[in-house]
Amino acid sequence: MKFFHISDLHIGRQMNGYGLKDSQESALAQIIEYAADKKPDAVLICGDIYDKSVPSAEAYTVFDSFLNRLSAVRPSMPVLIIAGNHDSPERLSYASSFLGRHQIHISALPPSSPEDRLKKITLGDEWGKVNFYLFPFIKPGYVRHLFEEGKVTGYDSAFRAVLEREEIREEERNVLLAHQFFVSGTGDPSLCDSESVMLTSGGLDQIDVSALTAFDYAALGHLHGPQKVGEERFRYSGTPYKYSVSEEHHHKAVMMVTLEEKGTLKTESLPLICRPDVRRIRGPLEDVLAASDGEGRGDFVSITLTDETEAYDMKDQLQEAYDRILEIRIDNERTRKKLMEDGEEIKIPDPFEAFCRFYEAIRHCPMTGEQETILRGVLEEIE
């Protein structure tokens, strides 16, 4: 069984005001070319299809074209799709019954009643069945009502509680599609600047990778950098295009996974070329201007100038040399000195104030007077 694993298309995204439609279509076209060449048995798309919960008409058109072109590849292959945290489950699941009859299987909504289970698609090959479990993005509040009080206390327990209801036949090969923030005891995942917010608020959205042990492969979405989490069989495919300067050194790719007999796993990265590229440039103005020769002038660039004296027409010269400037920074002795002079001492809040801020960041509302009284009592006991 050979399948493609991709995620986080973020169709409709912009970068510092620049539209990325052409860049996204280029990446999607490369995926279709790989599908025509490698002939996978299935394509897995693991969340964040769109960048916004209410996508533009243009974003719908881009994804519709991608699915149509993918469906035209022969032999035909099923496409398995789950919702990510950026997607609107209701919009993504529209016409899912009709699409399912055309081998496009979508799971956008988590179980909502005690009888509901994850959508399971079973395919087969010479070694038997391969069961694909489609687990869309969830928050604890989405599923807490399905379980007895106290069972779901956070993201980790919510994810495990939903999985525990599935009858997973471990003698067969099982694949999970999921869009969550998984961590391993061997080290934290590699995050981009835009993802670092997931580590704030105490990292409450983290799920330990041990929750995935029943699966021969976990096709993960959510993080933009391609990487494994603990084991080779638990992988983030990453985005098909670079969506921030912090992704400059990412090697974007389609993850091609091959499952043969039970316990046999092979993975291969099929590289995707980012057009135009996203990169940082640092140095004196003269060197930065010289570096724009050739194809590089069309890249998305973050520029840091190190000249001690600033040219009065610096911005005009750079805009003449580069087509897509994301930002221009100055880093020299004068700016560093000014930062030191303007720097203020960081005030560390007392535990009560810190927890109140934490609570409001998570719940989006301040604590009640009763809750504050309880918190003060807890802090007094700790002291």
Side-chain angles (χ1 to χ4, degrees):
M1 179 69 61
K2 178 169 63 180
F3 56 86
F4 283 2
H5 167 200
I6 61 176
S7 72
D8 296 85
L9 308 184
H10 286 285
I11 297 172
R13 187 164 183 142
Q14 294 189 337
M15 186 154 48
N16 287 32
Y18 291 101
L20 298 176
K21 177 176 178 287
D22 292 343
S23 300
Q24 292 179 324
E25 289 184 324
S26 172
L28 296 175
Q30 293 175 66
I31 294 171
I32 292 167
E33 289 174 7
Y34 277 131
D37 178 44
K38 302 295 184 180
K39 304 187 186 312
D41 299 298
V43 175
L44 282 50
I45 309 179
C46 300
D48 281 358
I49 312 304
Y50 300 107
D51 192 57
K52 296 180 179 178
S53 59
V54 184
S56 65
E58 181 180 82
Y60 278 120
T61 300
V62 170
F63 189 52
D64 180 68
S65 174
F66 173 63
L67 290 181
N68 276 311
R69 294 176 64 189
L70 201 55
S71 298
V73 174
R74 292 294 180 268
S76 62
M77 70 208 77
V79 180
L80 281 53
I81 303 171
I82 62 170
N85 58 301
H86 280 249
D87 298 311
S88 163
E90 293 77 15
R91 286 181 169 83
L92 192 61
S93 61
Y94 176 73
S96 58
S97 297
F98 171 80
L99 293 172
R101 293 195 292 272
H102 295 269
Q103 295 197 88
I104 298 175
H105 305 280
I106 299 174
S107 178
L109 295 162
S112 59
S113 70
E115 297 77 27
D116 285 349
R117 296 294 183 270
L118 298 176
K119 179 176 286 189
K120 183 174 79 169
I121 305 298
T122 299
L123 305 178
D125 60 14
E126 59 267 41
W127 287 281
K129 295 180 179 179
V130 179
N131 303 306
F132 293 86
Y133 291 84
L134 281 60
F135 199 140
F137 174 78
I138 64 165
K139 293 182 178 180
Y142 295 177
V143 297
R144 185 174 283 120
H145 66 282
L146 301 177
F147 305 97
E148 64 272 19
E149 186 176 353
K151 185 173 181 64
V152 173
T153 57
Y155 280 80
D156 189 286
S157 57
F159 186 86
R160 292 175 189 270
V162 172
L163 272 188
E164 284 173 4
R165 305 196 313 165
E166 302 297 322
E167 296 180 4
I168 301 174
R169 299 176 64 89
E170 296 198 16
E171 69 276 12
E172 297 176 349
R173 291 165 296 166
N174 299 290
V175 176
L176 180 74
L177 287 70
H179 190 97
Q180 304 286 162
F181 183 31
F182 292 94
V183 297
S184 166
T186 59
D188 291 332
S190 174
L191 301 178
C192 308
D193 289 347
S194 59
E195 298 166 336
S196 60
V197 294
M198 290 188 291
L199 291 181
T200 63
S201 303
L204 293 182
D205 52 355
Q206 296 181 5
I207 301 173
D208 192 87
V209 75
S210 61
L212 306 175
T213 53
F215 296 95
D216 297 88
Y217 184 80
L220 307 179
H222 204 23
L223 302 189
H224 288 194
Q227 57 196 291
K228 65 180 181 180
V229 186
E231 300 182 44
E232 183 65 27
R233 60 184 173 132
F234 308 140
R235 293 200 65 92
Y236 286 101
S237 65
T239 59
Y241 186 75
K242 300 176 182 179
Y243 289 129
S244 69
V245 176
S246 61
E247 299 176 45
E248 175 188 14
H249 299 298
H250 284 188
H251 299 290
K252 301 302 184 181
V254 176
M255 182 59 57
M256 184 169 70
V257 181
T258 304
L259 295 177
E260 295 179 348
E261 58 185 337
K262 178 77 174 179
T264 303
L265 171 72
K266 297 178 183 177
T267 60
E268 180 182 356
S269 293
L270 307 176
L272 296 172
I273 300 172
C274 294
R275 304 186 182 100
D277 205 352
V278 181
R279 58 195 178 96
R280 293 183 176 95
I281 306 174
R282 179 185 177 88
L285 177 61
E286 183 179 355
D287 293 348
V288 171
L289 293 173
S292 69
D293 293 341
E295 296 181 1
R297 70 168 293 124
D299 291 344
F300 292 100
V301 293
S302 168
I303 297 173
T304 301
L305 299 177
T306 58
D307 304 83
E308 291 300 331
T309 58
E310 299 174 18
Y312 78 95
D313 60 347
M314 165 195 71
K315 187 174 181 180
D316 292 339
Q317 291 186 64
L318 290 171
Q319 290 178 334
E320 181 68 26
Y322 292 95
D323 297 331
R324 300 178 178 89
I325 297 176
L326 300 175
E327 61 182 351
I328 301 172
R329 297 181 175 183
I330 306 295
D331 182 16
N332 55 28
E333 186 176 346
R334 180 181 61 81
T335 57
R336 287 192 294 271
K337 182 178 179 181
K338 188 175 190 308
L339 285 173
M340 292 179 64
E341 291 174 348
D342 292 346
E344 297 181 0
E345 183 179 353
I346 299 175
K347 179 185 176 182
I348 301 175
D350 63 71
F352 178 81
E353 181 184 353
F355 189 85
C356 288
R357 292 182 188 177
F358 169 78
Y359 181 92
E360 190 163 349
I362 294 296
R363 300 298 301 273
H364 307 294
C365 64
M367 297 178 66
T368 65
E370 181 182 2
Q371 289 170 327
E372 289 184 357
T373 300
I374 294 172
L375 175 60
R376 292 187 187 279
V378 171
L379 292 175
E380 287 175 3
E381 288 185 28
I382 292 172
E383 291 175 356

